[in-house]
Structures are given as structure tokens and as C-alpha cells.
mmCIF file of all heavy atoms in Angstrom:
data_model
loop_
_atom_site.group_PDB
_atom_site.id
_atom_site.type_symbol
_atom_site.label_atom_id
_atom_site.label_comp_id
_atom_site.label_asym_id
_atom_site.label_seq_id
_atom_site.Cartn_x
_atom_site.Cartn_y
_atom_site.Cartn_z
ATOM 1 N N TRP A 8 -6.953 10.321 -13.556
ATOM 2 C CA TRP A 8 -6.327 10.719 -12.299
ATOM 3 C C TRP A 8 -4.871 11.073 -12.569
ATOM 4 O O TRP A 8 -4.159 10.317 -13.248
ATOM 5 C CB TRP A 8 -6.389 9.607 -11.256
ATOM 6 C CG TRP A 8 -7.758 9.351 -10.711
ATOM 7 C CD1 TRP A 8 -8.645 8.400 -11.121
ATOM 8 C CD2 TRP A 8 -8.394 10.048 -9.638
ATOM 9 N NE1 TRP A 8 -9.784 8.463 -10.371
ATOM 10 C CE2 TRP A 8 -9.662 9.467 -9.454
ATOM 11 C CE3 TRP A 8 -8.013 11.105 -8.811
ATOM 12 C CZ2 TRP A 8 -10.557 9.908 -8.475
ATOM 13 C CZ3 TRP A 8 -8.900 11.551 -7.839
ATOM 14 C CH2 TRP A 8 -10.150 10.953 -7.683
ATOM 15 N N PHE A 9 -4.429 12.195 -12.033
ATOM 16 C CA PHE A 9 -3.059 12.652 -12.157
ATOM 17 C C PHE A 9 -2.567 13.060 -10.779
ATOM 18 O O PHE A 9 -3.355 13.321 -9.877
ATOM 19 C CB PHE A 9 -2.961 13.833 -13.125
ATOM 20 C CG PHE A 9 -3.338 13.490 -14.540
ATOM 21 C CD1 PHE A 9 -4.662 13.415 -14.926
ATOM 22 C CD2 PHE A 9 -2.353 13.238 -15.483
ATOM 23 C CE1 PHE A 9 -5.018 13.096 -16.226
ATOM 24 C CE2 PHE A 9 -2.685 12.923 -16.790
ATOM 25 C CZ PHE A 9 -4.020 12.847 -17.156
ATOM 26 N N ARG A 10 -1.261 13.124 -10.626
ATOM 27 C CA ARG A 10 -0.701 13.561 -9.359
ATOM 28 C C ARG A 10 0.514 14.437 -9.606
ATOM 29 O O ARG A 10 1.182 14.331 -10.631
ATOM 30 C CB ARG A 10 -0.334 12.375 -8.462
ATOM 31 C CG ARG A 10 0.804 11.505 -8.982
ATOM 32 C CD ARG A 10 0.961 10.267 -8.111
ATOM 33 N NE ARG A 10 2.066 9.428 -8.537
ATOM 34 C CZ ARG A 10 2.348 8.239 -8.026
ATOM 35 N NH1 ARG A 10 1.589 7.736 -7.053
ATOM 36 N NH2 ARG A 10 3.378 7.543 -8.475
ATOM 37 N N GLN A 11 0.788 15.295 -8.641
ATOM 38 C CA GLN A 11 1.928 16.194 -8.740
ATOM 39 C C GLN A 11 2.588 16.318 -7.375
ATOM 40 O O GLN A 11 1.963 16.766 -6.414
ATOM 41 C CB GLN A 11 1.505 17.569 -9.247
ATOM 42 C CG GLN A 11 2.663 18.493 -9.545
ATOM 43 C CD GLN A 11 2.242 19.708 -10.345
ATOM 44 O OE1 GLN A 11 1.071 20.091 -10.345
ATOM 45 N NE2 GLN A 11 3.181 20.320 -11.040
ATOM 46 N N ALA A 12 3.839 15.907 -7.316
ATOM 47 C CA ALA A 12 4.642 16.034 -6.107
ATOM 48 C C ALA A 12 5.415 17.347 -6.151
ATOM 49 O O ALA A 12 5.649 17.897 -7.233
ATOM 50 C CB ALA A 12 5.601 14.859 -5.978
ATOM 51 N N PRO A 13 5.829 17.875 -5.003
ATOM 52 C CA PRO A 13 6.585 19.132 -4.991
ATOM 53 C C PRO A 13 7.823 19.059 -5.873
ATOM 54 O O PRO A 13 8.599 18.104 -5.792
ATOM 55 C CB PRO A 13 6.958 19.302 -3.521
ATOM 56 C CG PRO A 13 5.892 18.570 -2.781
ATOM 57 C CD PRO A 13 5.565 17.382 -3.643
ATOM 58 N N GLY A 14 7.993 20.064 -6.731
ATOM 59 C CA GLY A 14 9.148 20.134 -7.589
ATOM 60 C C GLY A 14 9.108 19.236 -8.805
ATOM 61 O O GLY A 14 10.092 19.178 -9.553
ATOM 62 N N LYS A 15 8.004 18.533 -9.025
ATOM 63 C CA LYS A 15 7.894 17.626 -10.152
ATOM 64 C C LYS A 15 6.705 17.999 -11.032
ATOM 65 O O LYS A 15 5.789 18.693 -10.599
ATOM 66 C CB LYS A 15 7.756 16.184 -9.675
ATOM 67 C CG LYS A 15 8.966 15.661 -8.912
ATOM 68 C CD LYS A 15 8.809 14.197 -8.561
ATOM 69 C CE LYS A 15 10.035 13.664 -7.853
ATOM 70 N NZ LYS A 15 9.891 12.225 -7.515
ATOM 71 N N GLU A 16 6.749 17.526 -12.265
ATOM 72 C CA GLU A 16 5.653 17.757 -13.187
ATOM 73 C C GLU A 16 4.482 16.847 -12.866
ATOM 74 O O GLU A 16 4.638 15.780 -12.273
ATOM 75 C CB GLU A 16 6.115 17.535 -14.631
ATOM 76 C CG GLU A 16 7.161 18.522 -15.115
ATOM 77 C CD GLU A 16 7.524 18.315 -16.563
ATOM 78 O OE1 GLU A 16 7.118 17.292 -17.145
ATOM 79 O OE2 GLU A 16 8.200 19.184 -17.123
ATOM 80 N N ARG A 17 3.315 17.282 -13.271
ATOM 81 C CA ARG A 17 2.135 16.462 -13.102
ATOM 82 C C ARG A 17 2.254 15.199 -13.953
ATOM 83 O O ARG A 17 2.640 15.259 -15.120
ATOM 84 C CB ARG A 17 0.890 17.260 -13.494
ATOM 85 C CG ARG A 17 -0.419 16.594 -13.150
ATOM 86 C CD ARG A 17 -1.583 17.560 -13.347
ATOM 87 N NE ARG A 17 -1.464 18.724 -12.484
ATOM 88 C CZ ARG A 17 -2.373 19.688 -12.412
ATOM 89 N NH1 ARG A 17 -3.476 19.627 -13.141
ATOM 90 N NH2 ARG A 17 -2.180 20.718 -11.603
ATOM 91 N N GLU A 18 1.918 14.058 -13.370
ATOM 92 C CA GLU A 18 2.061 12.796 -14.070
ATOM 93 C C GLU A 18 0.761 12.001 -14.050
ATOM 94 O O GLU A 18 -0.046 12.105 -13.127
ATOM 95 C CB GLU A 18 3.193 11.959 -13.463
ATOM 96 C CG GLU A 18 2.945 11.516 -12.037
ATOM 97 C CD GLU A 18 4.031 10.594 -11.509
ATOM 98 O OE1 GLU A 18 4.895 10.168 -12.299
ATOM 99 O OE2 GLU A 18 4.021 10.300 -10.298
ATOM 100 N N PHE A 19 0.609 11.199 -15.076
ATOM 101 C CA PHE A 19 -0.555 10.342 -15.199
ATOM 102 C C PHE A 19 -0.528 9.238 -14.161
ATOM 103 O O PHE A 19 0.522 8.664 -13.877
ATOM 104 C CB PHE A 19 -0.594 9.738 -16.605
ATOM 105 C CG PHE A 19 -1.610 8.651 -16.769
ATOM 106 C CD1 PHE A 19 -2.952 8.944 -16.888
ATOM 107 C CD2 PHE A 19 -1.214 7.323 -16.800
ATOM 108 C CE1 PHE A 19 -3.891 7.942 -17.034
ATOM 109 C CE2 PHE A 19 -2.134 6.313 -16.949
ATOM 110 C CZ PHE A 19 -3.478 6.632 -17.067
ATOM 111 N N VAL A 20 -1.696 8.926 -13.617
ATOM 112 C CA VAL A 20 -1.836 7.849 -12.651
ATOM 113 C C VAL A 20 -2.755 6.752 -13.174
ATOM 114 O O VAL A 20 -2.378 5.586 -13.240
ATOM 115 C CB VAL A 20 -2.362 8.368 -11.300
ATOM 116 C CG1 VAL A 20 -2.594 7.212 -10.333
ATOM 117 C CG2 VAL A 20 -1.396 9.380 -10.702
ATOM 118 N N ALA A 21 -3.972 7.119 -13.541
ATOM 119 C CA ALA A 21 -4.961 6.138 -13.976
ATOM 120 C C ALA A 21 -6.050 6.831 -14.766
ATOM 121 O O ALA A 21 -6.243 8.037 -14.653
ATOM 122 C CB ALA A 21 -5.568 5.407 -12.761
ATOM 123 N N ALA A 22 -6.772 6.062 -15.570
ATOM 124 C CA ALA A 22 -7.887 6.600 -16.328
ATOM 125 C C ALA A 22 -8.909 5.508 -16.592
ATOM 126 O O ALA A 22 -8.577 4.325 -16.614
ATOM 127 C CB ALA A 22 -7.418 7.205 -17.655
ATOM 128 N N VAL A 23 -10.143 5.914 -16.799
ATOM 129 C CA VAL A 23 -11.219 4.992 -17.113
ATOM 130 C C VAL A 23 -12.057 5.583 -18.231
ATOM 131 O O VAL A 23 -12.342 6.782 -18.247
ATOM 132 C CB VAL A 23 -12.071 4.674 -15.860
ATOM 133 C CG1 VAL A 23 -12.663 5.934 -15.248
ATOM 134 C CG2 VAL A 23 -13.162 3.662 -16.187
ATOM 135 N N ALA A 24 -12.434 4.744 -19.184
ATOM 136 C CA ALA A 24 -13.211 5.176 -20.326
ATOM 137 C C ALA A 24 -14.639 5.524 -19.928
ATOM 138 O O ALA A 24 -15.094 5.215 -18.825
ATOM 139 C CB ALA A 24 -13.220 4.084 -21.401
ATOM 140 N N ARG A 25 -15.341 6.157 -20.848
ATOM 141 C CA ARG A 25 -16.735 6.512 -20.614
ATOM 142 C C ARG A 25 -17.581 5.296 -20.267
ATOM 143 O O ARG A 25 -18.488 5.380 -19.433
ATOM 144 C CB ARG A 25 -17.313 7.195 -21.854
ATOM 145 C CG ARG A 25 -16.714 8.559 -22.158
ATOM 146 C CD ARG A 25 -17.040 8.987 -23.582
ATOM 147 N NE ARG A 25 -18.483 9.037 -23.816
ATOM 148 C CZ ARG A 25 -19.048 9.106 -25.012
ATOM 149 N NH1 ARG A 25 -18.290 9.125 -26.097
ATOM 150 N NH2 ARG A 25 -20.372 9.163 -25.123
ATOM 151 N N SER A 26 -17.258 4.182 -20.899
ATOM 152 C CA SER A 26 -18.006 2.956 -20.674
ATOM 153 C C SER A 26 -17.748 2.344 -19.304
ATOM 154 O O SER A 26 -18.558 1.548 -18.821
ATOM 155 C CB SER A 26 -17.653 1.934 -21.753
ATOM 156 O OG SER A 26 -16.312 1.511 -21.622
ATOM 157 N N GLY A 27 -16.609 2.685 -18.704
ATOM 158 C CA GLY A 27 -16.192 2.047 -17.475
ATOM 159 C C GLY A 27 -15.506 0.715 -17.681
ATOM 160 O O GLY A 27 -14.980 0.139 -16.725
ATOM 161 N N GLY A 28 -15.483 0.218 -18.917
ATOM 162 C CA GLY A 28 -14.942 -1.093 -19.198
ATOM 163 C C GLY A 28 -13.472 -1.127 -19.560
ATOM 164 O O GLY A 28 -12.892 -2.219 -19.631
ATOM 165 N N SER A 29 -12.862 0.020 -19.805
ATOM 166 C CA SER A 29 -11.448 0.094 -20.155
ATOM 167 C C SER A 29 -10.740 0.996 -19.167
ATOM 168 O O SER A 29 -11.149 2.138 -18.970
ATOM 169 C CB SER A 29 -11.269 0.626 -21.577
ATOM 170 O OG SER A 29 -11.883 -0.224 -22.530
ATOM 171 N N THR A 30 -9.680 0.487 -18.567
ATOM 172 C CA THR A 30 -8.890 1.262 -17.614
ATOM 173 C C THR A 30 -7.429 1.268 -18.026
ATOM 174 O O THR A 30 -6.953 0.374 -18.731
ATOM 175 C CB THR A 30 -9.022 0.714 -16.189
ATOM 176 O OG1 THR A 30 -8.694 -0.680 -16.188
ATOM 177 C CG2 THR A 30 -10.445 0.890 -15.675
ATOM 178 N N TYR A 31 -6.709 2.273 -17.554
ATOM 179 C CA TYR A 31 -5.302 2.476 -17.884
ATOM 180 C C TYR A 31 -4.569 2.892 -16.620
ATOM 181 O O TYR A 31 -5.097 3.654 -15.806
ATOM 182 C CB TYR A 31 -5.155 3.557 -18.959
ATOM 183 C CG TYR A 31 -6.039 3.337 -20.170
ATOM 184 C CD1 TYR A 31 -7.371 3.734 -20.154
ATOM 185 C CD2 TYR A 31 -5.536 2.732 -21.312
ATOM 186 C CE1 TYR A 31 -8.187 3.527 -21.257
ATOM 187 C CE2 TYR A 31 -6.347 2.526 -22.413
ATOM 188 C CZ TYR A 31 -7.670 2.922 -22.383
ATOM 189 O OH TYR A 31 -8.479 2.719 -23.477
ATOM 190 N N TYR A 32 -3.333 2.408 -16.470
ATOM 191 C CA TYR A 32 -2.566 2.696 -15.268
ATOM 192 C C TYR A 32 -1.115 2.988 -15.602
ATOM 193 O O TYR A 32 -0.535 2.381 -16.507
ATOM 194 C CB TYR A 32 -2.614 1.521 -14.290
ATOM 195 C CG TYR A 32 -4.002 1.186 -13.822
ATOM 196 C CD1 TYR A 32 -4.750 0.198 -14.442
ATOM 197 C CD2 TYR A 32 -4.575 1.878 -12.755
ATOM 198 C CE1 TYR A 32 -6.038 -0.097 -14.012
ATOM 199 C CE2 TYR A 32 -5.859 1.585 -12.323
ATOM 200 C CZ TYR A 32 -6.586 0.597 -12.960
ATOM 201 O OH TYR A 32 -7.863 0.310 -12.533
ATOM 202 N N ALA A 33 -0.540 3.917 -14.868
ATOM 203 C CA ALA A 33 0.892 4.123 -14.939
ATOM 204 C C ALA A 33 1.607 2.908 -14.369
ATOM 205 O O ALA A 33 1.107 2.237 -13.456
ATOM 206 C CB ALA A 33 1.293 5.377 -14.172
ATOM 207 N N ASP A 34 2.794 2.611 -14.903
ATOM 208 C CA ASP A 34 3.548 1.459 -14.429
ATOM 209 C C ASP A 34 3.842 1.541 -12.931
ATOM 210 O O ASP A 34 3.903 0.517 -12.250
ATOM 211 C CB ASP A 34 4.859 1.330 -15.200
ATOM 212 C CG ASP A 34 4.658 0.879 -16.632
ATOM 213 O OD1 ASP A 34 3.584 0.333 -16.945
ATOM 214 O OD2 ASP A 34 5.583 1.071 -17.445
ATOM 215 N N SER A 35 4.009 2.745 -12.423
ATOM 216 C CA SER A 35 4.369 2.933 -11.029
ATOM 217 C C SER A 35 3.255 2.543 -10.060
ATOM 218 O O SER A 35 3.523 2.312 -8.879
ATOM 219 C CB SER A 35 4.776 4.384 -10.777
ATOM 220 O OG SER A 35 3.719 5.274 -11.100
ATOM 221 N N VAL A 36 2.014 2.470 -10.538
ATOM 222 C CA VAL A 36 0.894 2.159 -9.659
ATOM 223 C C VAL A 36 0.167 0.890 -10.055
ATOM 224 O O VAL A 36 -0.724 0.441 -9.315
ATOM 225 C CB VAL A 36 -0.110 3.326 -9.594
ATOM 226 C CG1 VAL A 36 0.594 4.616 -9.209
ATOM 227 C CG2 VAL A 36 -0.842 3.494 -10.921
ATOM 228 N N LYS A 37 0.522 0.301 -11.169
ATOM 229 C CA LYS A 37 -0.160 -0.890 -11.659
ATOM 230 C C LYS A 37 -0.062 -2.019 -10.639
ATOM 231 O O LYS A 37 1.009 -2.311 -10.108
ATOM 232 C CB LYS A 37 0.429 -1.314 -12.997
ATOM 233 C CG LYS A 37 -0.381 -2.350 -13.748
ATOM 234 C CD LYS A 37 0.180 -2.569 -15.149
ATOM 235 C CE LYS A 37 0.081 -1.311 -15.986
ATOM 236 N NZ LYS A 37 0.574 -1.530 -17.379
ATOM 237 N N GLY A 38 -1.198 -2.631 -10.362
ATOM 238 C CA GLY A 38 -1.251 -3.689 -9.374
ATOM 239 C C GLY A 38 -1.549 -3.206 -7.974
ATOM 240 O O GLY A 38 -1.857 -4.023 -7.095
ATOM 241 N N ARG A 39 -1.461 -1.914 -7.739
ATOM 242 C CA ARG A 39 -1.744 -1.333 -6.428
ATOM 243 C C ARG A 39 -2.970 -0.417 -6.443
ATOM 244 O O ARG A 39 -3.712 -0.370 -5.460
ATOM 245 C CB ARG A 39 -0.541 -0.536 -5.919
ATOM 246 C CG ARG A 39 0.721 -1.372 -5.743
ATOM 247 C CD ARG A 39 1.826 -0.574 -5.059
ATOM 248 N NE ARG A 39 2.235 0.581 -5.853
ATOM 249 C CZ ARG A 39 2.159 1.845 -5.436
ATOM 250 N NH1 ARG A 39 1.695 2.128 -4.223
ATOM 251 N NH2 ARG A 39 2.570 2.839 -6.226
ATOM 252 N N PHE A 40 -3.149 0.306 -7.532
ATOM 253 C CA PHE A 40 -4.256 1.258 -7.649
ATOM 254 C C PHE A 40 -5.313 0.711 -8.599
ATOM 255 O O PHE A 40 -4.997 0.013 -9.572
ATOM 256 C CB PHE A 40 -3.778 2.605 -8.191
ATOM 257 C CG PHE A 40 -2.906 3.407 -7.268
ATOM 258 C CD1 PHE A 40 -2.398 2.871 -6.096
ATOM 259 C CD2 PHE A 40 -2.597 4.720 -7.593
ATOM 260 C CE1 PHE A 40 -1.590 3.619 -5.252
ATOM 261 C CE2 PHE A 40 -1.795 5.478 -6.761
ATOM 262 C CZ PHE A 40 -1.290 4.933 -5.589
ATOM 263 N N THR A 41 -6.559 1.061 -8.340
ATOM 264 C CA THR A 41 -7.669 0.694 -9.202
ATOM 265 C C THR A 41 -8.597 1.892 -9.347
ATOM 266 O O THR A 41 -8.932 2.537 -8.351
ATOM 267 C CB THR A 41 -8.464 -0.495 -8.632
ATOM 268 O OG1 THR A 41 -7.599 -1.615 -8.435
ATOM 269 C CG2 THR A 41 -9.588 -0.885 -9.587
ATOM 270 N N THR A 42 -8.989 2.197 -10.569
ATOM 271 C CA THR A 42 -9.967 3.245 -10.790
ATOM 272 C C THR A 42 -11.248 2.640 -11.367
ATOM 273 O O THR A 42 -11.194 1.696 -12.155
ATOM 274 C CB THR A 42 -9.429 4.360 -11.703
ATOM 275 O OG1 THR A 42 -10.367 5.448 -11.738
ATOM 276 C CG2 THR A 42 -9.196 3.861 -13.122
ATOM 277 N N PHE A 43 -12.365 3.165 -10.941
ATOM 278 C CA PHE A 43 -13.644 2.710 -11.441
ATOM 279 C C PHE A 43 -14.640 3.854 -11.310
ATOM 280 O O PHE A 43 -14.417 4.805 -10.563
ATOM 281 C CB PHE A 43 -14.124 1.453 -10.699
ATOM 282 C CG PHE A 43 -14.134 1.580 -9.201
ATOM 283 C CD1 PHE A 43 -15.298 1.891 -8.519
ATOM 284 C CD2 PHE A 43 -12.976 1.377 -8.465
ATOM 285 C CE1 PHE A 43 -15.313 2.000 -7.136
ATOM 286 C CE2 PHE A 43 -12.974 1.484 -7.080
ATOM 287 C CZ PHE A 43 -14.144 1.794 -6.417
ATOM 288 N N ARG A 44 -15.728 3.747 -12.029
ATOM 289 C CA ARG A 44 -16.697 4.835 -12.048
ATOM 290 C C ARG A 44 -18.105 4.326 -11.824
ATOM 291 O O ARG A 44 -18.435 3.181 -12.128
ATOM 292 C CB ARG A 44 -16.622 5.596 -13.377
ATOM 293 C CG ARG A 44 -17.041 4.791 -14.598
ATOM 294 C CD ARG A 44 -16.664 5.522 -15.883
ATOM 295 N NE ARG A 44 -17.371 6.786 -16.014
ATOM 296 C CZ ARG A 44 -16.968 7.803 -16.772
ATOM 297 N NH1 ARG A 44 -15.826 7.691 -17.461
ATOM 298 N NH2 ARG A 44 -17.680 8.914 -16.845
ATOM 299 N N ASP A 45 -18.923 5.215 -11.298
ATOM 300 C CA ASP A 45 -20.341 4.964 -11.107
ATOM 301 C C ASP A 45 -21.071 6.080 -11.840
ATOM 302 O O ASP A 45 -21.153 7.208 -11.346
ATOM 303 C CB ASP A 45 -20.699 4.946 -9.620
ATOM 304 C CG ASP A 45 -22.133 4.527 -9.371
ATOM 305 O OD1 ASP A 45 -22.991 4.737 -10.240
ATOM 306 O OD2 ASP A 45 -22.406 3.984 -8.282
ATOM 307 N N ASN A 46 -21.582 5.777 -13.019
ATOM 308 C CA ASN A 46 -22.224 6.799 -13.839
ATOM 309 C C ASN A 46 -23.593 7.211 -13.316
ATOM 310 O O ASN A 46 -24.147 8.218 -13.760
ATOM 311 C CB ASN A 46 -22.336 6.312 -15.285
ATOM 312 C CG ASN A 46 -21.003 6.335 -16.010
ATOM 313 O OD1 ASN A 46 -20.037 6.938 -15.546
ATOM 314 N ND2 ASN A 46 -20.945 5.682 -17.162
ATOM 315 N N VAL A 47 -24.144 6.440 -12.400
ATOM 316 C CA VAL A 47 -25.401 6.824 -11.771
ATOM 317 C C VAL A 47 -25.143 7.865 -10.687
ATOM 318 O O VAL A 47 -25.866 8.854 -10.562
ATOM 319 C CB VAL A 47 -26.123 5.600 -11.189
ATOM 320 C CG1 VAL A 47 -27.371 6.028 -10.425
ATOM 321 C CG2 VAL A 47 -26.491 4.626 -12.298
ATOM 322 N N LYS A 48 -24.097 7.655 -9.899
ATOM 323 C CA LYS A 48 -23.722 8.600 -8.851
ATOM 324 C C LYS A 48 -22.853 9.740 -9.358
ATOM 325 O O LYS A 48 -22.514 10.642 -8.584
ATOM 326 C CB LYS A 48 -22.996 7.873 -7.729
ATOM 327 C CG LYS A 48 -23.849 6.854 -6.987
ATOM 328 C CD LYS A 48 -23.072 6.212 -5.849
ATOM 329 C CE LYS A 48 -23.938 5.241 -5.079
ATOM 330 N NZ LYS A 48 -23.189 4.603 -3.963
ATOM 331 N N ASN A 49 -22.472 9.699 -10.635
ATOM 332 C CA ASN A 49 -21.616 10.734 -11.223
ATOM 333 C C ASN A 49 -20.309 10.882 -10.448
ATOM 334 O O ASN A 49 -19.853 11.993 -10.160
ATOM 335 C CB ASN A 49 -22.340 12.078 -11.286
ATOM 336 C CG ASN A 49 -23.473 12.089 -12.283
ATOM 337 O OD1 ASN A 49 -23.563 11.237 -13.162
ATOM 338 N ND2 ASN A 49 -24.349 13.079 -12.159
ATOM 339 N N THR A 50 -19.699 9.763 -10.138
ATOM 340 C CA THR A 50 -18.497 9.753 -9.322
ATOM 341 C C THR A 50 -17.488 8.754 -9.887
ATOM 342 O O THR A 50 -17.866 7.662 -10.315
ATOM 343 C CB THR A 50 -18.824 9.391 -7.868
ATOM 344 O OG1 THR A 50 -19.762 10.339 -7.338
ATOM 345 C CG2 THR A 50 -17.570 9.421 -6.999
ATOM 346 N N VAL A 51 -16.221 9.147 -9.878
ATOM 347 C CA VAL A 51 -15.142 8.247 -10.222
ATOM 348 C C VAL A 51 -14.270 8.073 -8.984
ATOM 349 O O VAL A 51 -14.095 9.014 -8.199
ATOM 350 C CB VAL A 51 -14.326 8.761 -11.428
ATOM 351 C CG1 VAL A 51 -13.657 10.100 -11.115
ATOM 352 C CG2 VAL A 51 -13.297 7.738 -11.870
ATOM 353 N N TYR A 52 -13.727 6.875 -8.806
ATOM 354 C CA TYR A 52 -12.966 6.534 -7.618
ATOM 355 C C TYR A 52 -11.551 6.100 -7.989
ATOM 356 O O TYR A 52 -11.305 5.557 -9.063
ATOM 357 C CB TYR A 52 -13.634 5.394 -6.854
ATOM 358 C CG TYR A 52 -15.062 5.675 -6.462
ATOM 359 C CD1 TYR A 52 -16.108 5.323 -7.299
ATOM 360 C CD2 TYR A 52 -15.361 6.290 -5.251
ATOM 361 C CE1 TYR A 52 -17.427 5.574 -6.948
ATOM 362 C CE2 TYR A 52 -16.672 6.542 -4.889
ATOM 363 C CZ TYR A 52 -17.700 6.189 -5.739
ATOM 364 O OH TYR A 52 -18.998 6.438 -5.381
ATOM 365 N N LEU A 53 -10.644 6.329 -7.072
ATOM 366 C CA LEU A 53 -9.300 5.788 -7.168
ATOM 367 C C LEU A 53 -8.997 5.071 -5.865
ATOM 368 O O LEU A 53 -8.808 5.709 -4.828
ATOM 369 C CB LEU A 53 -8.269 6.886 -7.425
ATOM 370 C CG LEU A 53 -6.827 6.402 -7.602
ATOM 371 C CD1 LEU A 53 -6.688 5.592 -8.892
ATOM 372 C CD2 LEU A 53 -5.854 7.583 -7.622
#
């Protein structure tokens, strides 16, 4: 997941591995945002 505000560069927000067992977060969102995936529904959530 990435985000881009007006006048700013695109920045990393969160990511999840293929396994779903490893996640990564930008410091600015850590503790507030959670990403997870459902490989059966072919959907990732933030």
C-alpha cells in the first residue's frame, strides 16, 4: 500500500508478504494501520 498527497511524492504505507505472515509498516502509520490478505478471496485490506 502506498499513498500520495498533493504536491508530495508517493510514499510507502504498508506491505504484506505472499504468505500473509510478514507485514511491514511505515513509522507514520505503525500502531494505527493494519494490512492483511485473503488469498482465497484474492483481496488485500488496509
